[in-house]
Amino acid sequence: MNWVEAIGYLGTALTISASAMSTMIPLRIIALLASCAVITYGFLIDSMPVVLTEMIQIPFNAFRLWQMLRLVRDVEKAADGDLSLDWLRPFGSDRSFGVDEVLFQKGDPATEMYYVESGVFKIPEYGLEVRKGGIVGELGLLSPGNTRTASLVCVEAGRALCVSYSDVKQLYYQNPEFGFYFLKLTSERLFQSAQLDKAKKPAPAEGDVL
């Protein structure tokens, strides 16, 4: 085996390794390295179809790698206190809602979460309003049976970015870092809900046994 064949075998080994990986960032990195090795091999053996195939794949893998790295960076920032869902915009869809439209009710099956872009939405169980920049509906992903923990009604017509749980789950399984930071983000929301529930409970009357 000469050194030209060695480069070809290296490209093959890297391609197989990329296919066997379960996490997205290492997969994209190895796929890019494999393309570089195969392109080099294609030039050395003067096979333009091989070179062309890999040159077409490189931009796709590079873009997906950049997209995932940016996502992890932005989610890390969100987990540190910025609860914006801007980092999920490429994975969601915009929808319009009218006055008095019920997005979901407590106990309903939960399939998506919302990032409010305009208008006003209300959670009647807590008397809370969700305005532009607010996040709502993500706790259904973690609730038993994926059911809604509260209701949501539109009280002032507006728009919201809807992100399906299936997309969130896909991102979660593809990238462990994303999963970790998303759990931090939703945990903060759970603590906020627990504090609201505690605040709603009436204080014990004087003389009551605790």
Side-chain angles (χ1 to χ4, degrees), residues 122-170:
K122 187 173 183 179
I123 304 174
E125 288 83 358
Y126 298 107
L128 295 178
E129 291 186 346
V130 184
R131 298 177 178 271
K132 182 178 179 180
I135 306 168
V136 65
E138 81 284 358
L139 294 183
L141 179 60
L142 303 178
S143 67
N146 291 133
T147 57
R148 295 297 184 187
T149 59
S151 306
L152 186 66
V153 181
C154 180
V155 295
E156 182 180 309
R159 300 181 64 85
L161 179 71
C162 308
V163 184
S164 69
Y165 289 163
S166 60
D167 286 335
V168 175
K169 289 178 181 178
Q170 182 180 5

Side-chain angles (χ1 to χ4, degrees), residues 4 25 87 115-118 125 132 136 189 200 206:
V4 175
I25 290 180
W87 40 269
Y115 170 60
V116 177
E117 297 181 310
S118 64
E125 288 83 358
K132 182 178 179 180
V136 65
R189 302 287 293 188
K200 286 178 61 180
E206 185 178 353

